[in-house]
Amino acid sequence: MGPVTEVFVIAIDGPAGAGKSTIGRALATRLGLEYLDTGAMYRAVTVAAMREGIALDAPDAVAGLARRVVLDVGDGGVVVDGFDATAAIRTTEVNACVSAVAANPDVRSEMVDRQRAWARQRGGGVLEGRDIGSVVFPDAALKVFLTASPLERARRRALESGGDVDEIAASIEARDRMDRERTDGPLTEASGAVIVDTTGRAVEDVLDELTELLEGCR
Ligand code: DC
């Protein structure tokens, strides 16, 4: 299936801790659109594989699971085949394993199809994830690549889930490297994306900038 152009999509990409979820959710609320956290989808497939005892280094088995799993990724939480995985998708175990699942091309192709279908059903929305502007919706109305300094990103994660800032910074860097180096849908600034640095900025301030950019795109 090729890219979808007939829907009003705002694509928010960027590395872990850059503010994608906070900004994406708040922007969707401000614009009266729905919001999809696509990272939660890869996390949910990872949880489902762990629950079913499927080895994450068995690509065909994980891809088969990705195709059949029933995912409900909403603002209220994440349900995987009837199991409430809202907490499970954020564990350190899943943090450590999800990049391997997200590097599986067949899993990606299934998730991309589901993301396009999600947006098509709603006429658009705010979608957040590593490849939304580069692969899933290259013709999005607005493509934003959020960044923040590595230290600020680690501090935000530490505030969210506790833990040592230096350790978190190391794990964020390792994950960034995997996400950037994979051949299929790597983390990269999409062509035409506006790079917005959120370091030290209030959410409202970033939202004002994005709303202005959007006015310029309409
Ligand atoms: O944004 P996050 O930390 O919840 O993402 C979890 C993992 O999924 C991370 O390794 C990047 C990957 N991912 C991806 O490859 N493509 C997306 N559209 C979203 C997330």
Side-chain angles (χ1 to χ4, degrees):
M1 197 193 306
V4 179
T5 50
E6 71 274 18
V7 291
F8 181 76
V9 165
I10 298 170
I12 311 236
D13 294 12
K20 298 190 302 293
S21 303
T22 307
I23 300 294
R25 271 202 184 87
L27 184 64
T29 304
R30 194 187 263 204
L31 299 174
L33 296 170
E34 282 188 67
Y35 163 79
L36 181 63
D37 170 2
T38 63
M41 297 172 71
Y42 291 95
R43 288 172 178 274
V45 173
T46 308
V47 168
M50 287 171 166
R51 279 171 57 81
E52 290 196 20
I54 294 173
L56 298 178
D57 57 2
D60 292 345
V62 179
L65 169 72
R67 283 191 284 268
R68 72 173 180 270
V69 75
V70 179
L71 292 183
D72 182 1
V73 175
D75 249 359
V78 173
V79 179
V80 185
D81 281 336
F83 167 73
D84 181 351
T86 311
I89 63 165
R90 303 287 165 199
T91 58
T92 46
E93 206 185 355
V94 170
N95 285 345
C97 297
V98 62
S99 286
V101 171
N104 180 322
D106 295 325
V107 172
R108 299 200 69 76
S109 128
E110 173 64 24
M111 293 302 115
V112 168
D113 282 353
R114 292 187 189 212
Q115 290 151 17
R116 289 181 179 150
W118 179 94
R120 210 178 292 116
Q121 278 160 12
R122 292 160 175 80
V126 178
L127 287 93
E128 174 240 298
R130 306 290 196 283
D131 60 345
I132 301 303
S134 52
V135 174
V136 188
F137 288 107
D139 299 319
L142 177 65
K143 295 192 263 189
V144 184
F145 190 90
L146 294 180
T147 62
S149 73
L151 188 59
E152 172 128 349
R153 292 164 55 202
R155 281 205 195 107
R156 287 177 184 162
R157 281 287 143 110
L159 272 179
E160 265 167 31
S161 40
D164 177 73
V165 173
D166 290 336
E167 269 174 35
I168 296 173
S171 118
I172 281 181
E173 273 175 39
R175 205 137 56 90
D176 277 0
R177 211 173 309 119
M178 268 193 86
D179 291 339
R180 278 195 179 273
E181 286 172 2
R182 68 167 180 244
T183 46
D184 195 9
L187 167 65
T188 179
E189 295 81 350
S191 98
V194 186
I195 299 174
V196 176
D197 191 336
T198 65
T199 309
R201 295 177 66 186
V203 172
E204 286 302 312
D205 181 37
V206 177
L207 288 187
D208 288 345
E209 179 178 347
L210 298 184
T211 313
E212 263 176 43
L213 284 169
L214 205 50
E215 292 302 323
C217 298
R218 280 191 209 257

